[in-house]
């Protein structure tokens, strides 16, 4: 609910009167408050503002305001942060430092957008060639595996012929080694394609940021 101007003025007036009342009740003779007097302001769980010469223990961890003998706020004590809040602030600080470092590297490394694009094309071409070679190797291995599996059907336990000879240790080892090689090359291919996508995205981000820093539209 939006407060009316009258409600805001009444709240401010009530706050000022509460300070004056507190100062009056804690002043020395002749109505003069001690010059070094410190008063604290805090808010309870119901949203009610309180004043006093000390903070109750249950409110010691929240935001506090220090008021001098003239009723003027002289200090604000921030609320104690939770581990989660501190972790979030640390993450934000780290990200800001990383961004600043990235911007500095961009400005120190490149002189123009075409220069970034040339480097991008060179690296992506290199990755594309590696992907092509890995795909060819994988195709060869799969071809060998297909032939080896056909050959293994002549042996037990794959053959349905009760007179079929058992598979030799050498054929069994060849199957295992070839299968491992195929899995290795498949993983290499996945990694190269993922690297290609990540690199392309990073260069596009660098180009956009470089344009922003240089004021290029």
């Amino acid at each position: 609910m939006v407060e009316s101007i009258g409600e805001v003025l009444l709240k401010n007036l009530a706050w000022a009167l509460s300070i004056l009342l507190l100062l009056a009740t804690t002043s020395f003779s002749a109505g003069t408050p001690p010059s070094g007097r410190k008063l604290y302001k805090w808010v309870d769980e119901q949203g009610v503002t309180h004043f006093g010469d000390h903070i109750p223990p249950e409110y010691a961890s929240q935001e506090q305001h220090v008021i001098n003998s003239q009723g003027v706020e002289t200090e604000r004590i921030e609320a104690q942060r939770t581990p989660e809040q501190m972790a979030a602030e640390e993450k934000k600080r780290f990200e800001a430092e990383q961004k600043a470092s990235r911007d500095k590297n961009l400005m120190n490394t490149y002189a123009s957008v075409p220069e970034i694009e040339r480097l991008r094309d060179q690296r992506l071409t290199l990755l594309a060639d590696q992907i092509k070679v890995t795909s060819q190797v994988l195709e060869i291995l799969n071809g060998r595996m297909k032939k080896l599996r056909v050959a293994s059907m002549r042996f037990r336990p794959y053959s349905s012929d009760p007179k079929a000879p058992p598979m030799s240790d050498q054929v069994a080892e060849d199957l295992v080694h070839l299968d491992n090689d195929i899995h290795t090359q498949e993983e290499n291919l996945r990694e190269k394609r993922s690297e290609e996508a990540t690199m392309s995205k990073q260069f596009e981000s660098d180009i956009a940021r470089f344009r922003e820093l240089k004021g290029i539209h």
Side-chain angles (χ1 to χ4, degrees), residues 28-67:
F28 288 114
S29 61
T32 303
S35 59
R37 186 73 169 180
K38 271 191 177 182
L39 297 176
Y40 296 90
K41 181 180 75 172
W42 69 94
V43 180
D44 64 20
E45 60 272 10
Q46 279 78 39
V48 178
T49 301
H50 298 269
F51 300 89
D53 56 3
H54 68 279
I55 303 291
E58 61 268 28
Y59 301 112
S61 62
Q62 71 176 38
E63 182 180 284
Q64 305 162 15
H65 300 264
V66 180
I67 300 171

Side-chain angles (χ1 to χ4, degrees), residues 20 37 42 59 123 138 153 161 163 171 187 198 206:
L20 292 174
R37 186 73 169 180
W42 69 94
Y59 301 112
R123 292 188 176 178
L138 190 55
M153 296 302 295
D161 185 356
K163 295 182 180 180
V171 173
E187 181 62 27
T198 300
D206 287 346

Side-chain angles (χ1 to χ4, degrees), residues 106-158:
L106 278 175
M107 300 301 288
N108 291 339
T109 304
Y110 304 108
S112 65
V113 171
E115 186 178 347
I116 305 177
E117 292 173 337
R118 282 194 296 272
L119 181 61
R120 175 200 62 191
D121 294 342
Q122 290 172 2
R123 292 188 176 178
L124 288 178
T125 298
L126 179 61
L127 267 177
D129 291 340
Q130 293 174 354
I131 289 173
K132 182 179 179 180
V133 170
T134 304
S135 297
Q136 291 172 343
V137 170
L138 190 55
E139 184 177 355
I140 293 172
L141 291 176
N142 281 323
R144 289 176 55 191
M145 175 61 80
K146 183 177 180 180
K147 292 179 180 180
L148 191 57
R149 283 177 176 169
V150 170
S152 67
M153 296 302 295
R154 297 184 290 109
F155 304 103
R156 295 198 305 265
Y158 299 105

Side-chain angles (χ1 to χ4, degrees), residues 175-191:
L175 281 170
V176 172
H177 292 160
L178 192 53
D179 187 62
N180 289 337
D181 289 343
I182 289 174
H183 285 309
T184 298
Q185 293 304 320
E186 287 176 339
E187 181 62 27
N188 288 340
L189 188 58
R190 281 192 294 269
E191 290 178 357

